[in-house]
Amino acid sequence: MEFGVSDEVLGTFVPIIIYWLYSGIYILSGSCKNYRLHTSKEDAKNLVSKGTVVKGVFLQQSLQAAVAILLFTVTGSDTEATQEKNPPLTVLAKQFLVGMLVIDTWQYFMHRYMHHNKFLYRHIHSMHHRLIVPYAFGALYNHPLEGLLIDTVGGAICFLISGMSPRTSMFFFSFATIKAVDDHCGLWLPWNPFHLLFRNNSAYHDIHHQLHGTKYNFSQPFFAVWDQILGTYMPYSIEKREGGGYEARPMKDLSRLHDLSLWTRNANPRRLQ
């Protein structure tokens, strides 16, 4: 990219710009009640104002940018010496896949621990769950310490293990950003490709934000593999709501979730996810 801007700068700031641009699309379409997973009246359940959310996201993104610049500075010489300028697609695909698996693993176990440790949940992770009805630009609304541990450190580990360059990381973390925003958008759009390609989507994450789902669906941002392996996956159905919109309904018999083979065998083809 010959724009007079280094790959390191682009890798730091492009995902932040993408976050607000993609969130803006959902802000413009958020009033479309025919696709909302919650009614507008349910927005009152949220325990934090949108202004506070914006400030919190800006704080987290500032910390992420600082860590990214530091990471690129420390690893810069090694990166230039060991990586090709234009690696083949097979190498890029491998780096993307490794990055997705690494960040999913890190975030699953850190996220789950935040829920099961009462002190961490009460003083740190509950901040994110003030958004009982999620919306797009609230995706990165977290306690600063949680943002540092789960998102920023997880991203740094992903970058180092995958071996991606700053240029590749720009595309990878931009994609991860789009996916995170989409998961929190609060809409069920039938044509959304994320709903077709990923079981971990806006409805899946909406279940987690519901009061009866906080012990399930910890996986983020890409796959639901760890939830399925460790028995924390909550299957759900998508139902049309009277008056417009959709609703993600979890299975009511939570005891069945401990028998992975049972709910897999009996999956409801009607939209059971």
Side-chain angles (χ1 to χ4, degrees):
M1 291 186 180
E2 302 296 336
F3 299 112
V5 180
S6 70
D7 289 342
E8 289 79 5
V9 171
L10 292 173
T12 299
F13 293 104
V14 166
I16 294 175
I17 295 171
I18 292 292
Y19 182 92
W20 292 106
L21 288 178
Y22 194 61
S23 294
I25 295 173
Y26 277 122
I27 290 172
L28 294 176
S29 62
S31 59
C32 188
K33 69 176 184 178
N34 290 331
Y35 301 106
R36 289 197 56 173
L37 289 169
H38 294 271
T39 65
S40 57
K41 292 182 179 179
E42 290 181 291
D43 291 342
K45 292 180 179 179
N46 286 338
L47 305 176
V48 61
S49 70
K50 291 183 177 180
T52 300
V53 169
V54 169
K55 293 176 184 177
V57 172
F58 274 134
L59 174 60
Q60 177 163 334
Q61 289 177 329
S62 298
L63 294 173
Q64 286 180 339
V67 172
I69 292 171
L70 177 63
L71 182 65
F72 289 145
T73 300
V74 171
T75 63
S77 58
D78 293 335
T79 298
E80 293 173 3
T82 60
Q83 294 188 339
E84 303 177 50
K85 276 291 183 182
N86 297 298
L89 289 178
T90 53
V91 172
L92 293 176
K94 178 182 178 181
Q95 290 174 343
F96 259 66
L97 180 59
V98 171
M100 293 166 82
L101 294 175
V102 169
I103 204 166
D104 267 20
T105 299
W106 177 267
Q107 292 201 4
Y108 174 85
F109 287 101
M110 290 295 293
H111 184 195
R112 182 173 178 177
Y113 187 65
M114 288 277 185
H115 273 271
H116 286 277
N117 183 294
K118 293 181 179 179
F119 178 86
L120 291 178
Y121 183 83
R122 182 181 302 115
H123 296 284
I124 296 178
H125 187 59
S126 63
M127 182 171 171
H128 181 68
H129 280 273
R130 293 175 186 174
L131 293 177
I132 298 170
V133 179
Y135 49 80
F137 66 87
L140 289 182
Y141 176 69
N142 296 303
H143 189 283
L145 182 57
E146 176 181 351
L148 179 64
L149 291 175
I150 295 184
D151 296 318
T152 306
V153 173
I157 293 173
C158 163
F159 173 78
L160 294 171
I161 292 180
S162 67
M164 62 180 69
S165 67
R167 180 179 300 188
T168 302
S169 76
M170 176 186 69
F171 292 102
F172 178 83
F173 289 112
S174 292
F175 177 58
T177 294
I178 291 173
K179 181 66 172 58
V181 169
D182 201 86
D183 290 346
H184 289 80
C185 70
L187 300 174
W188 183 260
L189 301 172
W191 59 84
N192 189 329
F194 288 121
H195 298 164
L196 300 175
L197 298 174
F198 295 94
R199 181 169 290 180
N200 186 341
N201 51 43
S202 59
Y204 167 96
H205 201 68
D206 182 75
I207 292 292
H208 177 72
H209 273 257
Q210 295 178 25
L211 294 179
H212 44 256
T214 56
K215 297 296 184 183
Y216 302 93
N217 293 9
F218 298 112
S219 293
Q220 53 186 31
F222 297 111
F223 308 114
V225 174
W226 285 113
D227 276 315
Q228 292 171 311
I229 291 175
L230 298 177
T232 54
Y233 179 79
M234 179 182 282
Y236 57 88
S237 61
I238 303 295
E239 308 288 347
K240 281 196 170 184
R241 187 191 303 110
E242 290 185 15
Y246 293 89
E247 181 180 357
R249 295 182 179 176
M251 290 179 62
K252 294 183 179 180
D253 185 3
L254 299 183
S255 63
R256 293 179 64 197
L257 294 174
H258 297 291
D259 188 344
L260 183 63
S261 62
L262 178 61
W263 69 255
T264 301
R265 269 198 315 272
N266 297 336
N268 184 348
R270 185 180 57 176
R271 286 302 292 179
L272 192 62
Q273 300 294 318

